[in-house]
Amino acid sequence: MSVRLYIGNLPEAFDAKELDALLANVGKGIRFKSVTDRDTGASRGFGFANVDDPKLADALIEQLNGKEFGGSTLRIEISERRDARPTGAAGSRVGAAPAAARKAINKVVHADSVDAEAPDPRWAGELSKLKDLLGKQTAAV
């Protein structure tokens, strides 16, 4: 099974071939993928490497973590899978609203006071269609 490594603190503009050559100096079987911005396509300063051998992954961390590359000090560590990260306030993104709050943002309030006998305004159109269908039906007895 391959090991996934986080490689961070990459310079804003770096040559991927140069980084691949640096990784290849440690060993073969290292595949690196840089994370880019969706809009601009520019590097976000980090990426992930898949390494076939766990011993090679340890050697990569030992040799390159803290090494200077393009004016920045590389940060290399074993990446945690998304499902292994903590959930809740500590593990959520900065500024991200919880799922319940995001759903509540799009809610439309039709009236401040609701009449108990009045139909729900969200279903008014469906209710009128149903009344029309029932009115057109005739049952032979």
Side-chain angles (χ1 to χ4, degrees):
M1 188 171 128
S2 69
V3 178
R4 187 172 192 204
L5 298 175
Y6 166 84
I7 300 179
N9 204 25
L10 293 169
E12 286 183 20
F14 71 94
D15 185 14
K17 291 180 182 179
E18 189 177 324
L19 181 61
D20 287 337
L22 182 66
L23 297 174
N25 285 338
V26 177
K28 296 194 185 248
I30 302 171
R31 296 170 309 282
F32 175 75
K33 173 81 172 146
S34 176
V35 176
T36 57
D37 185 79
R38 289 183 198 170
D39 298 329
T40 63
S43 172
R44 293 190 55 198
F46 68 96
F48 296 94
N50 288 317
V51 183
D52 295 331
D53 183 22
K55 291 179 184 176
L56 180 60
D58 291 336
L60 185 70
I61 292 171
E62 187 178 313
Q63 292 179 24
L64 298 181
N65 190 32
K67 183 174 182 175
E68 188 173 322
F69 175 73
S72 297
T73 305
L74 290 178
R75 180 176 160 211
I76 302 175
E77 57 191 39
I78 294 177
S79 173
E80 293 181 16
R81 298 285 179 196
R82 283 183 181 246
D83 54 354
R85 290 189 298 183
T87 58
S92 63
R93 294 179 299 170
V94 175
R102 285 193 307 264
K103 288 180 183 177
I105 291 171
N106 296 330
K107 237 179 212 179
V108 177
V109 178
H110 296 283
D112 289 334
S113 62
V114 178
D115 185 4
E117 310 225 329
D120 189 341
R122 295 174 291 178
W123 295 100
E126 296 297 319
L127 185 60
S128 69
K129 289 179 191 175
L130 183 60
K131 285 181 181 177
D132 289 342
L133 286 173
L134 289 173
K136 293 178 184 175
Q137 285 184 351
T138 56
V141 183

